[in-house]
Amino acid sequence: KANVQLFAAIRDCLLDEDSALLQLNAGELANLANAFSKLSEAAKLGHLGLFDRLGRQFAQTGESIDAGSCDVRSSCIVLNAFAQASVRHEPLFFACAEHLPQSLHSRDCDMRQLAMLAHAYVRVGLPQSNLLPLLWDRASRLA
């Protein structure tokens, strides 16, 4: 079982130091969100502040997706982490919906990632996202 006190100490450290999260790249942000999402719903353990900061920073990183700093894999991980933690961070989900379409046809984007993306959007209550029809179309071409 996860050490809740350890995660709380890590959360507090990351939130207290303005530069701590800023030094993380997209993959590290995604992995951090994924680790915290394994605990439970973010609100139950007081992690909403951390998820908000993670989501905002990842969304900013996602804006430079053309530069290769944010890939489909990292986006899948972070979006599913937010969904698993029951956090509907609209700035993050909307930023990814805006910037991911150009990466969906990459050879690095496979059926599993498409399913993860679709699952995350539906789980947080965004089934009308403009990204979903693009995911379905790409999945049908891969099948």
Side-chain angles (χ1 to χ4, degrees):
K1 188 165 179 153
N3 185 334
V4 176
Q5 293 172 334
L6 175 62
F7 275 91
I10 293 169
R11 176 203 62 216
D12 294 344
C13 179
L14 290 169
L15 291 176
D16 284 346
E17 303 201 17
D18 291 332
S19 63
L21 284 177
L22 296 176
Q23 297 174 5
L24 301 177
N25 65 35
E28 293 166 334
L29 291 168
N31 289 333
L32 185 59
N34 191 42
F36 274 86
S37 76
K38 303 296 184 197
L39 299 175
S40 173
E41 290 184 18
K44 287 182 181 176
L45 295 175
H47 298 313
L48 285 179
L50 177 63
F51 273 90
D52 182 57
R53 292 258 322 262
L54 286 168
R56 290 185 188 285
Q57 185 167 335
F58 193 91
Q60 289 174 348
T61 304
E63 290 173 1
S64 60
I65 201 166
D66 292 328
S69 65
C70 180
D71 59 11
V72 174
R73 181 182 178 280
S74 295
S75 297
C76 288
I77 292 170
V78 79
L79 292 172
N80 271 279
F82 274 71
Q84 184 173 348
S86 300
V87 177
R88 180 176 164 158
H89 193 286
E90 290 186 0
L92 170 64
F93 279 84
F94 293 161
C96 288
E98 182 178 333
H99 299 287
L100 276 173
Q102 53 204 337
S103 299
L104 295 179
H105 296 284
S106 159
R107 289 187 299 195
D108 297 331
C109 184
D110 60 23
M111 190 67 82
R112 180 175 183 266
Q113 291 171 330
L114 296 171
M116 287 175 67
L117 290 168
H119 177 261
Y121 277 84
V122 172
R123 185 165 178 181
V124 298
L126 295 171
Q128 301 302 322
S129 171
N130 293 335
L131 183 62
L132 291 177
L134 300 174
L135 296 173
W136 307 149
D137 180 65
R138 179 64 177 145
S140 68
R141 294 173 192 276
L142 286 176

